[in-house]
């Protein structure tokens, strides 16, 4: 079994493309087949190196490893030319000298008569070369019979050859066209299953005729439905559907996006959470729904939280490193990222948020938040802060349990509620009145930094007392 993902590098690897890539990957792994990546970059005007890179980056970030490739169509022009020559020699293709003007006039005439525009076969039975005109090459499409295939997603499809005209396979400059290169590649790469978006379904009958002309076996076809936004319109930038790397930038884990994508048009009972192994074991392209799937960002958020909480913290931490770099934070200047993950995963939706909310653990504390300081760093906080500071300084081990106990015992001794200590302490440590539980906050900030910040807050409180 051999399948391929064949993106055109004319933009980002967007959500729809990533889902197609995932389906190709899963099907190949499910059947222990081969997964090929082929970059369809023949459209020289629209293809860019940046888009190629975005595709490769997206595949890598999602962990969609391929076994062969990336192949580039632009490196195969000689091969396409060779196949065109072969078809010409066998009379399965022919040169066409019709001018643009003629084709345009024909088109207008057909439209006026309410007909579908199609080439009328003017040069099909031989045309006189026109001096100075380089011909296109057209494929000699069969004129009768039907093209029938059984799409693995859409079911049986039948198109009459009378619907199909003679497709241009090479332009005047010799460059090959899309429907032709796809077939040559799929034949040469021995692809046995073509999975692609159903926007290509009208190309398939034309391509099947080319397979036949080449004497090649047909692959199976599976056309997957498009993805809609929550408003029912085709998913676009307007829905926030941008390149997959934007999801990384926004703080999503690849595991969450993959799990999200696999459920767009495919299900397995009512299971929502799938490990990669489960996806591979359960996925079958034949089970993909033929109806369009709708994107739902809340569900993606939910999955992201799930994976932040349940993946091994060290694994989440690896992804967090990138966000620290972007935010200019040094992961080595504070608690191990694994520890941060165990504390913060429950409190945030994305890794980006986690990074933003973790500065105080890695950087010097700037000024206190005014409101919080006003409310909690008052003269009455002096004794509790001093007492808890002393007790903390005496601790042999800086562990959440010990830290929690130190705060509790201080409160008991002073006969005050925990909050009377925890809130001033929180402002002292983080500059604000919002942070993880006080023991976890202390734990993450670490001994030295915590004691230093408590001294600073004490000085602040005493100054304030002196000033009033
Ligand atoms: N290059 C085409 C695209 O990006 C896909 C062609 C195919 O998979 O056959 O839409």
């Amino acid at each position: 079994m051999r399948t391929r993902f064949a993106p055109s590098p004319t933009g980002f690897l967007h959500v729809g493309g990533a889902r197609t890539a995932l389906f190709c990957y899963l099907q190949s792994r499910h059947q222990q087949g081969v997964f090929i990546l082929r970059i369809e970059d023949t459209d020289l005007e629209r293809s860019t190196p940046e888009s190629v890179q975005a595709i490769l980056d997206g595949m890598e970030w999602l962990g969609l490893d391929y076994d062969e490739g990336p192949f580039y169509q632009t490196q195969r022009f000689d091969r396409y030319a060779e196949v065109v020559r072969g078809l010409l020699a066998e009379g399965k293709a022919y040169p066409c000298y019709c001018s643009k003007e003629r084709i345009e006039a024909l088109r207008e005439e057909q439209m006026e008569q309410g007909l579908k525009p199609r080439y009328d076969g003017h040069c099909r039975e031989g045309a006189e070369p026109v001096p100075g005109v380089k011909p296109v090459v057209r494929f000699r499409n069969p004129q009768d019979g039907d093209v029938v295939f059984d799409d693995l997603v859409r079911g049986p499809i039948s198109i009459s050859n009378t619907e199909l005209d003679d497709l241009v396979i090479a332009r005047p400059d010799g460059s090959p066209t899309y429907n032709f290169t796809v077939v040559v590649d799929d034949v040469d790469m021995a692809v046995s299953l073509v999975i692609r978006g159903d926007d290509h379904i009208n190309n398939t009958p034309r391509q099947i005729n080319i397979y036949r002309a080449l004497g090649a076996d047909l692959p199976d076809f599976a056309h997957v439905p498009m993805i809609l936004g929550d408003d029912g319109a085709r998913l676009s930038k307007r829905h926030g559907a941008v390149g997959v790397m934007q999801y990384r930038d926004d703080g999503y884990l690849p595991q969450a996006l993959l799990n999200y994508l696999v459920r767009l048009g495919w299900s397995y009972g009512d299971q929502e959470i799938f490990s990669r192994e489960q996806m591979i074991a359960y996925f079958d392209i034949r089970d993909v729904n033929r109806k369009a799937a709708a994107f739902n960002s809340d569900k993606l958020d939910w999955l992201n939280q799930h994976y932040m909480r349940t993946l091994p913290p060290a694994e989440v931490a690896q992804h967090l490193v990138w966000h620290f770099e972007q935010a200019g934070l040094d992961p080595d200047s504070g608690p191990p990222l694994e520890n941060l993950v165990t504390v913060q995963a429950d409190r945030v939706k994305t890794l980006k948020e986690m990074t933003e909310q973790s500065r105080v653990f890695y950087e010097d504390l700037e000024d206190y938040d005014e409101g919080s300081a006003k409310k909690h760093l008052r003269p009455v906080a002096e004794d509790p802060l001093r007492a808890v500071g002393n007790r903390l300084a005496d601790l042999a081990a800086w562990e959440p349990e010990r830290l929690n106990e130190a705060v509790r015992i201080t409160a008991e001794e002073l006969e005050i509620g925990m909050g009377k200590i925890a809130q001033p302490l929180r402002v002292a440590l983080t500059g604000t009145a919002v942070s993880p539980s006080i023991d976890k906050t202390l734990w993450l900030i670490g001994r030295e930094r915590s004691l230093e910040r408590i001294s600073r807050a004490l000085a602040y409180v005493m100054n304030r007392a002196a000033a009033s």
Side-chain angles (χ1 to χ4, degrees):
M1 184 274 183
R2 294 170 63 85
T3 191
R4 84 313 190 263
F5 174 52
S8 305
T10 55
F12 299 111
L13 176 61
H14 51 84
V15 172
R19 187 194 52 167
T20 304
L22 173 63
F23 285 1
C24 294
Y25 166 87
L26 291 177
Q27 191 66 25
S28 67
R29 294 297 173 263
H30 179 73
Q31 292 184 245
Q32 280 141 23
V34 172
F35 180 32
I36 303 164
L37 176 63
R38 182 171 76 226
I39 307 288
E40 305 209 312
D41 54 352
T42 50
D43 186 341
L44 299 175
E45 266 160 38
R46 293 177 62 223
S47 301
T48 64
E50 291 76 29
S51 302
V52 173
Q53 197 53 49
I55 291 166
L56 299 178
D57 290 348
M59 300 284 287
E60 187 182 342
W61 181 66
L62 290 170
L64 301 179
D65 314 326
Y66 34 90
D67 308 299
E68 295 180 16
F71 297 109
Y72 294 87
Q73 289 192 320
T74 44
Q75 291 174 7
R76 290 177 42 81
F77 277 175
D78 290 347
R79 172 63 185 149
Y80 306 133
E82 182 185 348
V83 180
V84 170
R85 281 196 301 274
L87 288 174
L88 281 168
E90 290 179 69
K92 292 173 174 168
Y94 60 90
C96 168
Y97 291 89
C98 291
S99 64
K100 270 206 189 96
E101 292 71 29
R102 180 176 184 275
I103 300 287
E104 197 40 52
L106 182 65
R107 191 188 150 81
E108 270 170 30
E109 201 183 302
Q110 288 167 333
M111 301 275 273
E112 257 166 45
Q113 293 172 24
L115 299 171
K116 218 166 90 182
R118 59 201 303 279
Y119 182 61
D120 61 355
H122 184 262
C123 297
R124 188 175 163 110
E125 304 312 333
E128 280 297 309
V130 179
V133 173
K134 282 195 174 160
V136 299
V137 177
R138 288 189 184 271
F139 175 66
R140 192 184 295 277
N141 198 76
Q143 284 179 312
D144 41 35
D146 298 319
V147 181
V148 179
F149 67 103
D150 199 3
D151 192 274
L152 298 189
V153 174
R154 301 277 295 251
I157 293 180
S158 170
I159 297 274
S160 164
N161 270 319
T162 56
E163 298 272 314
L164 308 173
D165 62 358
D166 290 348
L167 183 81
V168 172
I169 57 173
R171 301 185 186 90
D173 65 359
S175 64
T177 60
Y178 163 72
N179 276 302
F180 178 68
T181 55
V182 168
V183 176
V184 174
D185 286 348
D186 284 337
V187 170
D188 285 356
M189 295 170 193
V191 168
S192 60
L193 171 61
V194 169
I195 298 175
R196 61 185 168 206
D198 68 2
D199 48 333
H200 286 288
I201 202 150
N202 291 331
N203 291 323
T204 304
R206 296 176 175 283
Q207 293 183 8
I208 287 177
N209 283 329
I210 300 177
Y211 274 94
R212 297 221 163 102
L214 295 175
D217 289 337
L218 288 185
D220 285 325
F221 292 96
H223 289 91
V224 302
M226 57 185 175
I227 303 175
L228 306 177
D230 356 37
D231 57 358
R234 191 182 181 134
L235 195 64
S236 68
K237 278 205 186 118
R238 196 159 47 80
H239 300 97
V242 280
V244 286
M245 296 315 275
Q246 185 67 42
Y247 288 94
R248 174 200 59 183
D249 298 358
D250 290 347
Y252 292 91
L253 284 163
Q255 289 84 349
L257 190 59
L258 284 176
N259 195 148
Y260 181 73
L261 292 174
V262 81
R263 286 282 290 103
L264 283 178
W266 176 81
S267 57
Y268 186 79
D270 50 16
Q271 186 168 335
E272 288 292 356
I273 305 284
F274 294 89
S275 66
R276 185 174 291 241
E277 292 67 33
Q278 286 175 323
M279 288 187 206
I280 291 172
Y282 304 154
F283 185 80
D284 191 324
I285 192 74
R286 290 168 187 81
D287 298 332
V288 169
N289 201 310
R290 47 189 302 183
K291 285 202 304 259
F295 199 85
N296 170 344
S297 354
D298 290 342
K299 194 159 152 197
L300 177 58
D301 287 348
W302 176 77
L303 283 166
N304 203 46
Q305 264 238 321
H306 169 83
Y307 282 103
M308 284 195 301
R309 281 203 301 247
T310 56
L311 283 176
E315 202 177 325
V316 179
Q318 281 171 14
H319 294 281
L320 196 57
V321 170
W322 184 87
H323 289 277
F324 266 59
E325 273 168 22
Q326 298 304 302
L329 279 182
D330 176 6
D332 295 329
S333 64
L337 291 182
E338 286 103 288
N339 295 357
L340 182 74
V341 170
T342 58
V343 174
Q344 296 284 50
D346 273 333
R347 302 171 46 84
V348 295
K349 282 212 186 81
T350 66
L351 295 177
K352 190 173 178 188
E353 230 182 285
M354 190 182 291
T355 306
E356 281 158 6
Q357 297 194 12
S358 300
R359 282 200 175 270
V360 288
F361 304 124
Y362 295 85
E363 281 185 338
D364 288 341
L365 191 59
E366 304 281 325
D367 291 336
Y368 299 124
D369 165 64
E370 213 176 297
S372 308
K374 202 165 167 205
K375 185 156 175 217
H376 299 293
L377 295 184
R378 287 184 292 149
V380 312
E382 185 179 334
D383 288 346
L385 276 177
R386 180 170 293 115
V388 81
N390 289 339
R391 191 169 286 278
L392 289 170
D394 287 343
L395 282 183
W398 201 261
E399 285 156 7
E401 224 171 282
R402 294 278 94 73
L403 295 165
N404 186 50
E405 198 178 67
V407 178
R408 188 173 48 77
I409 293 178
T410 312
E412 277 167 21
E413 267 178 11
L414 298 180
E415 295 181 1
I416 55 176
M418 275 280 268
K420 293 254 166 9
I421 296 187
Q423 281 310 76
L425 196 49
R426 191 167 261 128
V427 181
L429 295 169
T430 69
T432 74
V434 184
S435 81
S437 64
I438 199 65
D439 53 340
K440 297 285 171 56
T441 303
L442 283 160
W443 180 56
L444 287 181
I445 288 181
R447 181 194 179 90
E448 207 181 318
R449 237 182 210 153
S450 295
L451 297 178
E452 197 183 282
R453 288 183 189 180
I454 293 170
S455 306
R456 173 175 161 188
L458 264 175
Y460 178 94
V461 168
M462 282 163 18
N463 263 340
R464 202 167 146 184
S468 64

